[in-house]
Amino acid sequence: MASKSKIDISEYSKNFPKSKKHYTKGSSNHINVPSRVIEQSPTIIDGKKKQNNKPIYVYDTTGLYTDENYEVDILKGLRPIRENWILNRGDVVSSKRNKKIWRTKNKKNSQIDGKLKDVVVAKPNQNVSQMHYAKNGIITEEMEFAAIRENVNPNNTSINITPEFVRDEIASGRAIIPSNINHPELEPMVIGKNFLTKVNANIGNSPVKSDIEEEVDKLLWAVRWGADTVMDLSTGKNLYETRERIIRNSPVPIGTVPIYEALERVNGKPEDLDYEVFRQILIEQAEQGVDYFTIHSGVRLGYIPKTMDRLTGIVSRGGSIIAKWCLAHHKENFLYTNFDDICQIMKSYNVCFSLGDGLRPGSISDANDDAQFSELETLGELTKYSWQHDVQVMIEGPGHVPIHKIKENVIKEQEICMDAPFYTLGPLVTDIAPGYDHITSAIGAANIGSFGTSVLCYVTPKEHLGLPNKDDVKDGLIAYKIAAHAADISKGHPSAQYRDDALSKARFEFRWEDQFNLGLDPYKSRDMHDETLPQESAKVAHFCSMCGPHFCSMKITQDIRDYANKKGLEDYTVAINFGLDEKSLEFKKLGKEIYIKK
Amino acid sequence: MASKSKIDISEYSKNFPKSKKHYTKGSSNHINVPSRVIEQSPTIIDGKKKQNNKPIYVYDTTGLYTDENYEVDILKGLRPIRENWILNRGDVVSSKRNKKIWRTKNKKNSQIDGKLKDVVVAKPNQNVSQMHYAKNGIITEEMEFAAIRENVNPNNTSINITPEFVRDEIASGRAIIPSNINHPELEPMVIGKNFLTKVNANIGNSPVKSDIEEEVDKLLWAVRWGADTVMDLSTGKNLYETRERIIRNSPVPIGTVPIYEALERVNGKPEDLDYEVFRQILIEQAEQGVDYFTIHSGVRLGYIPKTMDRLTGIVSRGGSIIAKWCLAHHKENFLYTNFDDICQIMKSYNVCFSLGDGLRPGSISDANDDAQFSELETLGELTKYSWQHDVQVMIEGPGHVPIHKIKENVIKEQEICMDAPFYTLGPLVTDIAPGYDHITSAIGAANIGSFGTSVLCYVTPKEHLGLPNKDDVKDGLIAYKIAAHAADISKGHPSAQYRDDALSKARFEFRWEDQFNLGLDPYKSRDMHDETLPQESAKVAHFCSMCGPHFCSMKITQDIRDYANKKGLEDYTVAINFGLDEKSLEFKKLGKEIYIKK
């Protein structure tokens, strides 16, 4: 038995202030879609209750951790809510794990319970990808779950995100549901330009710092602050164990970059890689339940010289591993030449491709260059090819792009990759602010999202400088939740502005507690308010620290409304007409008899 | 005598790491334009020095505080560098201050030395505005100073920002140089869409918190972190004294909202205001040296009812004061009916209008509505009128605007106000993140800047919640320096990308110290790096904490370059052709003999 987890789960099992877990039932009892309901206080004007304010529903990525009826056990993992969905389809078989390699290399440091659960794999000649079902007209539980989840605002009857709509989007390749059949703990979600913009958080240890529990802690922290997907980018020791613990405890899709582990297996020498090593790792990770793989099949040998004159060459770790291999062997990228075989693995577990942008720019100087767009052309080819296998695909994008060059990235991706979901890192819109790249890149992310990018991979303040701690993870996530939400409003997602309007109404009515609770970070906004006005009475006061108690613009607006109610709206109509008629400047005082009826 | 200043000046007199004050001489010895030069270390490859890296020049708002040859005295104020320029033009006369009112009301709490310096005012029938000089073909010292200042990159010979270009922009109204003749301490700068995007920081005490020295401290802190202009929005006690101390110590233009002080004079009751009280304050503040006034002349009576159905009514403090006055008296806005007289005052001191947007939206729900754009129409009329007086004008804008509605704001402003500089607050692109509104609004600011907005008024993390402390001021400024710089790159300012490219080169070459020093916040980026790798040796290491010492994508790129240099570029040309020709997928391994010449 492994030792007891040292993660303090109480931090995660407590919901946000005035918030409760809510489940919306689907067409069967097995489909229960989570959301978070935030209770509001009534509107008070002049000491009298004027109206009740409806509770507000928000998208919830926190998983069972915030379900007060669920008992969390980190060592055991989450309840496998999808298990029956998968088994009932009748197209998988049980199998022992293919785990020779990790066992041999890591037995000394293993922190995993000796009994790993068995896995499932598609029966011979079966394809368990969601795209395969979708193309065959089947609406899976995953599709229904994801559809319900998109309808955040229950009061909006104009929303039309049905399970059939989700199925159709997946069949066309415009959307994906990352959901490995070996990750039954997952709460499914859909990625695509016609859905809410999603946010990815990267975690993972590195050779200079490594601790399995710390990474699981980061996972729980990330989903608490809104991560829709999480990538485990570990490159240090205990890769298999770290990943196992992460997946078993993750309610969101987990992505990896398998070439990182492949490189560890060949002792860090890219030239010693080969497809057999890589293939073995793909299978092992698919068995563990990884939901999407970043694979750099688009870094073709012929494109490498195109990076020679760049200011910052190749900055993608995966891209540079492949480039080094290609040059060392004078051969075409083995991830390109073996793409057919990789597709076979992907469809046996429903792993999605996240086709890597190994030649993405590492500075705004290199944005939108020939190397970058050449690779994109190849990603378009590979998209077509994987769709022939009914394998789900998303496309990775930059990186570092100035504002005026952002739109071109989305237009080209949509055209070349036929609307396959776009998944970008930032992009940073300037390179002059190390320490603040969550901001430089949130600007780019909001823009690229507003043009239809489906997933925004976060950047933390530590980017380019060091390994993010929990504060950095949170700062990165909040910046990206802002960017994604701003994009959703801009692209007109029918649920998006609902939360903004509720918060603005609370703000205008001086419902301070509601203003805190409806925001992305209730704790921080409350602390900031209390820094100037700590008294509990200030939380119901009809003023704030900016103008003080004796004058308030919001209060004056209320006075104006009251005045209008008293005087009647007729006066105002006259006043409006006056305003419109009176186009030229007259420098004299006007008497009220001119335009206000008695 | 006032007591000694309690501000610790050593914090401000020390320049940034590896940075020195540099002065570029103009056409006379009296014109010395500051910039900051950041020294770089040489490029080292494989232990050998490969090349020296030129020092990088950056725009400098820190004033004489970072001049090692200048001795700072907060109580005395900065050296009046413009004094002779103003006097030598021969169009001003000396005058005693008009200070009855503040003296009476504030004598108990006065912290100012009893002897206030005398002031200047235009001679009768003279107009001392920069626009007046510009229209008459005169290139003032201010124009030349500002022109030189815009040419940040001394190596870029294609830059064409000449004093004559600045004069022409000012004559046309497309640009302004805020520079009151009573603020001789000012280092002039130019605001307009064809120049670098500028950032404004708001400071000022409030009724719940007030301390003159603290506000001066914030001013020094703000210019240290890049504020191009500062607004003193004080509403508490000691308004005159606070402003006096701020202006005497400010190297950047100072703006105010005079209606705030007017309201204090009538004990906080908007309905007791009248033009005489307001006029008195305009004159007093103009004598002190305020460089621009926010005046809400566009809030016409007829527009007020248009705010009735808004989610958040009127949120501008100035706008609501005027609205309340208009309704209480059933009269047209006295700032509109007396606009002619206000222009007379403005041109006697060269104070610029910042025509206030009293009806700006307070939530994204209210963005771009009829109330907002009706007021903008009136601001267009007033722009024309003030240009007839040769008075400089900029136009204030929102506020809260979702991404897809930002562009319309700029297009309308440029059309209606004939390209008068646009000056916006943010805008916030979503309302769901109190505590992070420096980020929600930096997204909007970068966008609106990229369309040609000239000044971005910062928003701090405390917006909507409390009064910003020094950390908040810095966080707001950094977010806005990012936004402004991203906008400058996007709109193609010839100097903008120079700093990005230098930093990216340093990053790629593992010149850690240079990477820190070239960024907006050298201290924070260094601290973040050292959090993971504190050893001094890591600062010259050719790796970072993200990948560790054994693998690095940037190192691999260097290997690829070395390889190419060894093998010759010819091989690569063949490889490129291979990449372009080979458009279809072939799932077989390719031998090197196919495409690499022996």
Side-chain angles (χ1 to χ4, degrees), chain B residues 68-135:
Chain B
E68 55 189 22
N69 300 316
Y70 181 75
E71 202 180 320
V72 179
D73 181 345
I74 296 289
L75 297 179
K76 200 174 147 201
L78 290 167
R79 184 169 65 206
I81 60 165
R82 290 172 63 226
E83 194 167 56
N84 286 331
W85 308 353
I86 294 159
L87 297 178
N88 289 345
R89 289 196 277 257
D91 49 9
V92 299
V93 287
S94 227
S95 155
K96 291 276 169 214
R97 292 214 195 189
N98 199 322
K99 62 194 175 190
K100 286 190 300 284
I101 295 175
W102 75 268
R103 272 287 161 131
T104 317
K105 286 185 68 85
N106 293 295
K107 57 185 170 187
K108 259 197 288 191
N109 296 314
S110 178
Q111 295 177 35
I112 297 194
D113 190 333
K115 292 167 289 178
L116 283 168
K117 73 179 187 64
D118 284 348
V119 298
V120 288
V121 60
K123 286 179 180 167
N125 299 320
Q126 294 281 355
N127 183 338
V128 298
S129 95
Q130 292 285 320
M131 188 180 215
H132 187 71
Y133 301 133
K135 283 185 176 174

Side-chain angles (χ1 to χ4, degrees), chain A residues 386-404:
Chain A
S386 63
W387 286 354
Q388 286 170 16
H389 285 268
D390 294 353
V391 169
Q392 302 185 102
V393 184
M394 59 180 168
I395 307 293
E396 293 186 10
H400 296 242
V401 185
I403 291 174
H404 62 297

Side-chain angles (χ1 to χ4, degrees), chain A residues 204-210 215 234-237 467, chain B residues 545-548:
Chain A
N205 58 35
S206 98
V208 304
K209 202 155 180 263
S210 171
E215 295 311 316
S234 294
T235 56
K237 294 199 189 308
L467 295 172
Chain B
S545 54
M546 281 76 85
C547 300

Side-chain angles (χ1 to χ4, degrees), chain B residues 64-306:
Chain B
L64 287 165
Y65 299 106
T66 49
D67 184 334
E68 55 189 22
N69 300 316
Y70 181 75
E71 202 180 320
V72 179
D73 181 345
I74 296 289
L75 297 179
K76 200 174 147 201
L78 290 167
R79 184 169 65 206
I81 60 165
R82 290 172 63 226
E83 194 167 56
N84 286 331
W85 308 353
I86 294 159
L87 297 178
N88 289 345
R89 289 196 277 257
D91 49 9
V92 299
V93 287
S94 227
S95 155
K96 291 276 169 214
R97 292 214 195 189
N98 199 322
K99 62 194 175 190
K100 286 190 300 284
I101 295 175
W102 75 268
R103 272 287 161 131
T104 317
K105 286 185 68 85
N106 293 295
K107 57 185 170 187
K108 259 197 288 191
N109 296 314
S110 178
Q111 295 177 35
I112 297 194
D113 190 333
K115 292 167 289 178
L116 283 168
K117 73 179 187 64
D118 284 348
V119 298
V120 288
V121 60
K123 286 179 180 167
N125 299 320
Q126 294 281 355
N127 183 338
V128 298
S129 95
Q130 292 285 320
M131 188 180 215
H132 187 71
Y133 301 133
K135 283 185 176 174
N136 286 289
I138 298 165
I139 296 174
T140 61
E141 288 87 346
E142 285 84 352
M143 296 174 203
E144 185 182 346
F145 192 103
I148 294 170
R149 209 170 181 185
E150 286 286 313
N151 300 313
V152 179
N153 173 359
N155 307 317
N156 190 340
T157 52
S158 75
I159 298 176
N160 204 16
I161 298 174
T162 61
E164 167 56 21
F165 179 73
V166 171
R167 186 205 60 73
D168 192 56
E169 290 289 293
I170 289 171
S172 75
R174 276 190 302 274
I176 62 172
I177 296 184
S179 49
N180 186 321
I181 52 172
N182 286 311
H183 186 191
E185 302 86 353
L186 176 80
E187 295 177 345
M189 46 77 81
V190 61
I191 289 172
K193 68 174 187 171
N194 292 318
F195 302 103
L196 289 165
T197 307
K198 305 302 191 293
V199 167
N200 176 73
N202 292 335
I203 61 172
N205 57 34
S206 98
V208 303
K209 202 156 178 265
S210 171
D211 179 326
I212 294 178
E213 292 268 295
E214 199 178 314
E215 296 311 315
V216 175
D217 196 20
K218 272 189 207 159
L219 165 76
L220 269 53
W221 186 241
V223 299
R224 181 164 182 86
W225 290 106
D228 294 290
T229 61
V230 168
M231 288 194 82
D232 171 17
L233 301 185
S234 295
T235 57
K237 296 201 189 304
N238 302 319
L239 295 180
Y240 195 99
E241 293 87 337
T242 304
R243 192 166 46 241
E244 184 71 21
R245 192 73 65 82
I246 286 174
I247 295 169
R248 296 288 75 77
N249 287 288
S250 178
V252 303
I254 297 296
T256 61
V257 187
I259 198 93
Y260 293 175
E261 188 170 10
L263 193 69
E264 301 287 333
R265 298 265 173 102
V266 295
N267 301 309
K269 291 192 180 154
E271 53 274 30
D272 290 352
L273 284 168
D274 62 38
Y275 181 62
E276 284 315 307
V277 170
F278 187 81
R279 188 178 196 280
Q280 175 68 22
I281 287 163
L282 283 192
I283 292 170
E284 288 176 25
Q285 294 198 7
E287 285 177 345
Q288 286 190 291
V290 174
D291 300 289
Y292 58 96
F293 288 147
T294 292
I295 297 187
H296 299 89
S297 298
V299 181
R300 297 196 61 186
L301 175 66
Y303 302 153
I304 299 168
K306 296 182 190 226

Side-chain angles (χ1 to χ4, degrees), chain A residues 309-313 361-369 372 400, chain B residues 497:
Chain A
D309 296 327
R310 279 180 159 186
L311 185 61
T312 50
S363 56
I364 60 166
S365 170
D366 294 340
N368 295 22
D369 72 353
Q372 185 197 330
H400 296 242
Chain B
Q497 206 177 308

Side-chain angles (χ1 to χ4, degrees), chain A residues 43 96 252 263 314 546 575:
Chain A
T43 301
K96 291 276 169 214
V252 304
L263 193 68
I314 301 177
M546 280 76 85

